Amino acid sequence: MTGYTSFYVDKIFYDLNVINLEREMDFLQRIFSLPRPQKRLVSLFVDSFFLVCAFWAALLVRLDDISVLSNATFWLVISIVLPISLVLFAKLGLYRAVLRYMGLQALVAIVIGVAVSTITLVLVSFYAEANIPRTVPLIYAAFSLVFIGGSRTIVRSIVGSGMKRTGEPVIIYGAGVSGRQLLTSLVQSHEYHPFAFVDDDVCLHGTVIQGVHVHSPSIIRKLIKQKSVTKVLLAMPSATRAKRQAILTRLEPLAIQILTIPAMADLVNGTKLYSDIKEVEIDDLLGRDAVNPREDLLSANIKDKVVMVTGAGGSIGSELCRQILKQSPKKLVLFELSEFALYAIDRELNATAKELGLNVRILPIMGSVQRENRVQAVMESFGVQTVYHAAAYKHVPLVEHNVVEGVRNNVFGTLYTARAAIAAKVETFVLVSTDKAVRPTNVMGTTKRMAELVLQALSRENNKTRFCMVRFGNVLGSSGSVVPLFRTQIANGGPVTVTHPEITRFFMTIPEASQLVIQAGAMGKGGDVFVLDMGKSVKIVDLAKKMIRLSGYEVRSEKNPEGDIAIEFSGLRPGEKLYEELLIGDDVTGTEHERIMTANELYLTWADYSVILDRLDLACHQFNHEAIRDILLKTPTGFAPTDGICDLVYQQKAKNFDASKKVINFVS
């Protein structure tokens, strides 16, 4: 019975201690939740108490006589020293320092403040004839340092160890400088509770950072189960994409949401904070590091020149404008059909120019590339020297459903813009092309290849304008891209739709693609077809699976019927290919840039090609879709359609015609 009694007594005392501790924590929590002015008043009161205690403790230690407490002169001395010391502490910024982030500067302020307070004590004692022993000021200084500095250190450690931390438990991957900064940013937040670090550096394993332990990645699954963690914060902004891809590949099977902090460049220039946590970038999944651009090639056709971008409001066109602006052109002409898109990019670029202090005249011009006289008038009026032609219809199914407009915009829009450039004596003309122009199976790809043939034919004529074209694959985040679609579908709970289980695509980030377009344009000699190194092609279904798992969900399938989000295959869309290519043949040569190659391909003379274009123009004018299809097939583009004519107007006319044949007229 005695043993049982002892057990219950110990348990009672333990429970009481826990209750008392929780009460103390609640009290401290209420203190820390006070507004800043009230916190300063609390600090003033606490420091006043400690300074008084330090003074009397020094006297008691030195004199070993409690009767000193009744000495009126000593009370007078401390009453004078105390307000002077507090004012000095305030002047030194001690009460402006945030206790959670107290560093060396605050400690220096405490040391200086205590030193001056001690000197004040000596002077006041001398003039007040208080007869204080000479060692008392030294003892007073020691007690003051311990009381004032030590109290702050203790409170800071309590806060750092997470006194009653709230929020969702998370793991920080990366215990370096960025990880520690992230932890500091999240300590005040009630949204996340970082309870563990994970790092690949063996030397950091077992260490403690601000009360948080650092573990090996090998036990991350155990850590996740321990706290039912649903998120991992990736704090490695300076790591290479290959390194980040390796980490994401390791974390992917855990089906846990991966969030990341902004890139190091954004953190350095102040546009982002460590606390600005976002979803993991898709380019990290590709694992392909961008090559630093060559500044000489970037500026060659832009610096101090008049530059014009057609389709300036599109995903590629707008990024081209951003990159061009950084190279300080004399004027930047934004040519765009969409009023809203033009307004948006004009406003953004003007704000950027003001922020960077750039003296660039930005000219928002509304117009269509299908109006040659308008394009020529703009080029001649502003003396355009370089043109980046990004205006195009590029959505494959939409162009299949609107054949005439696709041909008009992509083929004749390029023709009219190129002829306007020749008339306006433009120096360089760069066409933004696509990998879908290679052995096309759809109208969009065919029209882009025909646009390339336009420039190749014109470049052989005697004109001063230098034409070249740059061919690349899909860009991440562009309009119509699968990535934002997948994100939306995952956020809505699925299903994620993929057209075909075997479909693959090349991917590149928009900034990298735009920089390479500019650099390729600077290397063109005339009629060049530049091909960008897109890396390895990506299987779209694998990309969908990665995005689902890294969003914290399981893929639902026959093998895993309890999964969260299913992947559904909708079938190839009209004109869609399983595999994209960048080269028509194998004849390709390198350039001075490691990511840019030159394709040597067959072309038509202007005399031959102009006849084809005249016939195509007439067929478009007559809305003769059969003739358009015939011309596209006979032009040497490699067009091999997988579907019939999918134009919606054409199909409706065919239905109306069939319906009219079934009507029987009984009236003679």
Side-chain angles (χ1 to χ4, degrees):
M1 287 298 287
T2 306
Y4 283 110
T5 304
S6 175
F7 170 78
Y8 283 113
V9 169
D10 291 341
K11 189 177 187 304
I12 289 170
F13 277 109
Y14 174 79
D15 292 340
L16 288 172
N17 289 331
V18 169
I19 292 170
N20 290 331
L21 182 62
E22 288 179 351
R23 287 175 178 173
E24 292 173 4
M25 291 299 184
D26 288 337
F27 173 74
L28 289 174
Q29 192 73 39
R30 285 195 294 271
I31 294 292
F32 282 112
S33 51
L34 292 173
R36 287 294 303 167
Q38 295 183 24
K39 287 181 182 177
R40 291 192 180 105
L41 290 174
V42 172
S43 297
L44 280 168
F45 175 79
V46 172
D47 287 347
S48 301
F49 175 76
F50 281 143
L51 287 173
V52 172
C53 289
F55 176 73
W56 290 113
L59 285 171
L60 290 171
V61 169
R62 175 64 179 84
L63 301 175
D64 195 22
D65 187 359
I66 199 170
S67 63
V68 297
L69 295 173
S70 60
N71 190 318
T73 307
F74 290 166
W75 282 104
L76 175 65
V77 169
I78 190 61
S79 64
I80 297 173
V81 171
L82 181 61
I84 296 174
S85 301
L86 294 176
V87 170
L88 183 64
F89 285 160
K91 291 289 185 182
L92 290 169
L94 189 60
Y95 301 119
R96 291 195 301 271
V98 180
L99 204 56
R100 290 178 171 86
Y101 312 117
M102 189 182 71
L104 183 62
Q105 187 177 359
L107 293 175
V108 170
I110 292 172
V111 172
I112 295 173
V114 169
V116 177
S117 178
T118 304
I119 295 170
T120 305
L121 174 63
V122 172
L123 294 174
V124 173
S125 301
F126 175 78
Y127 287 108
E129 298 180 354
N131 294 322
I132 291 178
R134 285 175 291 183
T135 54
V136 167
L138 297 175
I139 302 172
Y140 166 79
F143 276 129
S144 298
L145 284 174
V146 171
F147 290 161
I148 295 174
S151 63
R152 282 169 167 78
T153 304
I154 292 170
V155 173
R156 184 178 181 272
S157 66
I158 292 173
V159 176
S161 61
M163 64 155 214
K164 201 173 179 180
R165 285 180 179 170
T166 58
E168 183 181 355
V170 295
I171 297 171
I172 299 177
Y173 201 116
V177 175
S178 299
R180 294 193 291 271
Q181 291 281 358
L182 178 60
L183 175 64
T184 305
S185 300
L186 295 179
V187 161
Q188 287 206 70
S189 172
H190 297 292
E191 186 177 359
Y192 297 119
H193 166 211
F195 83 95
F197 275 111
V198 168
D199 200 283
D200 295 323
D201 189 352
V202 180
C203 299
L204 293 175
H205 297 169
T207 59
V208 180
I209 301 173
Q210 297 184 37
V212 180
H213 292 263
V214 183
H215 304 274
S216 168
S218 60
I219 66 165
I220 191 169
R221 189 183 293 273
K222 181 181 177 182
L223 293 172
I224 291 170
K225 290 181 179 179
Q226 182 182 333
K227 292 281 188 177
S228 299
V229 175
T230 59
K231 293 183 176 68
V232 172
L233 310 183
L234 190 61
M236 304 178 71
S238 58
T240 64
R241 283 185 185 155
K243 171 72 171 176
R244 292 163 71 89
Q245 186 200 28
I247 293 171
L248 293 174
T249 303
R250 194 185 310 157
L251 297 176
E252 183 194 336
L254 302 176
I256 190 168
Q257 187 177 11
I258 310 298
L259 301 176
T260 183
I261 63 175
M264 183 57 71
D266 294 328
L267 295 172
V268 171
N269 60 33
T271 57
K272 298 289 185 180
L273 303 174
Y274 282 96
S275 55
D276 294 333
I277 299 169
K278 59 181 181 178
E279 291 184 343
V280 67
E281 298 291 344
I282 299 301
D283 46 316
D284 290 330
L285 297 178
L286 305 180
R288 181 173 164 275
D289 291 311
V291 174
N292 291 329
R294 285 181 47 183
E295 293 298 327
D296 59 324
L297 294 177
L298 282 177
S299 62
N301 292 330
I302 297 173
K303 190 172 179 63
D304 297 326
K305 293 190 175 186
V306 182
V307 183
M308 176 175 171
V309 179
T310 67
S315 49
I316 297 295
S318 60
E319 183 60 32
L320 278 170
C321 292
R322 296 182 191 102
Q323 299 291 339
I324 290 167
L325 184 65
K326 295 176 183 177
Q327 301 303 318
S328 300
K330 185 187 295 181
K331 298 174 186 176
L332 178 55
V333 181
L334 314 176
F335 196 81
E336 174 59 55
L337 179 62
S338 168
E339 180 186 23
F340 177 76
L342 182 61
Y343 165 77
I345 189 62
D346 176 53
R347 185 180 180 190
E348 179 191 336
L349 294 177
N350 275 288
T352 303
K354 185 178 179 180
E355 183 182 343
L356 300 178
L358 299 174
N359 185 25
V360 180
R361 189 182 176 191
I362 300 171
L363 303 160
I365 306 295
M366 292 181 64
S368 170
V369 292
Q370 297 184 43
R371 291 174 57 197
E372 185 174 350
N373 58 342
R374 170 67 169 170
V375 179
Q376 184 177 333
V378 171
M379 291 179 178
E380 290 177 341
S381 299
F382 298 111
V384 173
Q385 296 165 279
T386 304
V387 172
Y388 294 96
H389 183 52
Y393 292 145
K394 62 181 183 179
H395 195 273
V396 171
L398 284 180
V399 175
E400 288 294 311
H401 294 321
N402 300 271
V403 172
V404 173
E405 286 304 307
V407 172
R408 282 285 182 203
N409 199 62
N410 293 357
V411 181
F412 291 101
T414 302
L415 172 64
Y416 300 152
T417 308
R419 289 199 309 210
I422 294 170
K425 296 180 174 57
V426 170
E427 298 171 5
T428 305
F429 187 106
V430 182
L431 168 68
V432 178
S433 191
T434 172
D435 58 352
K436 293 176 178 60
V438 178
R439 281 181 278 272
T441 59
N442 50 69
V443 176
M444 194 282 284
T446 306
T447 56
K448 293 297 287 184
R449 177 56 186 148
M450 293 188 73
E452 293 179 355
L453 289 172
V454 167
L455 300 191
Q456 287 178 306
L458 288 174
S459 67
R460 268 66 183 179
E461 299 295 299
N462 292 322
N463 57 69
K464 295 182 179 180
T465 303
R466 183 167 54 93
F467 294 103
C468 61
M469 54 228 79
V470 185
R471 190 185 292 162
F472 57 90
N474 296 270
V475 289
L476 295 167
S478 66
S479 59
S481 173
V482 297
V483 173
L485 175 62
F486 286 175
R487 286 200 190 279
T488 303
Q489 290 175 334
I490 292 170
N492 293 334
V496 173
T497 55
V498 179
T499 56
H500 194 280
E502 298 300 323
I503 194 168
T504 64
R505 290 292 183 266
F506 293 102
F507 284 101
M508 181 179 284
T509 64
I510 294 179
E512 185 181 6
S514 301
Q515 289 174 357
L516 289 173
V517 166
I518 295 171
Q519 293 174 89
M523 295 188 293
K525 299 179 177 62
D528 311 80
V529 178
F530 292 106
V531 180
L532 304 187
D533 177 9
M534 301 291 296
K536 296 180 180 179
S537 61
V538 177
K539 210 168 182 179
I540 301 300
V541 68
D542 291 342
L543 180 63
K545 290 177 181 177
K546 288 178 182 290
M547 290 183 65
I548 291 171
R549 293 189 182 114
L550 293 175
S551 298
Y553 302 105
E554 290 277 0
V555 179
R556 191 191 308 152
S557 63
E558 292 182 359
K559 295 182 179 179
N560 184 22
E562 302 299 320
D564 304 298
I565 295 176
I567 296 176
E568 294 182 355
F569 298 103
S570 57
L572 292 175
R573 299 173 297 179
E576 193 169 36
K577 294 170 69 174
L578 279 178
Y579 312 102
E580 299 291 0
E581 304 166 274
L582 290 168
L583 296 171
I584 295 175
D586 297 325
D587 192 1
V588 62
T589 56
T591 66
E592 53 188 292
H593 196 287
E594 61 180 284
R595 288 279 172 86
I596 303 174
M597 301 169 288
T598 303
N600 301 306
E601 299 173 349
L602 296 174
Y603 63 90
L604 296 173
T605 63
W606 178 248
D608 293 333
Y609 197 40
S610 61
V611 175
I612 296 173
L613 293 175
D614 289 341
R615 288 175 52 218
L616 186 60
D617 185 26
L618 179 62
C620 288
H621 182 73
Q622 297 174 342
F623 293 97
N624 189 341
H625 290 86
E626 288 92 348
I628 294 172
R629 171 60 65 97
D630 184 64
I631 295 168
L632 296 182
L633 286 169
K634 291 180 178 178
T635 305
T637 60
F639 181 37
T642 55
D643 302 278
I645 300 173
C646 301
D647 188 276
L648 296 179
V649 175
Y650 170 80
Q651 290 181 344
Q652 187 61 45
K653 283 185 175 180
K655 288 180 182 178
N656 294 341
F657 179 74
D658 292 340
S660 66
K661 289 201 304 183
K662 295 178 182 178
V663 176
I664 301 174
N665 190 356
F666 293 98
V667 181
S668 61

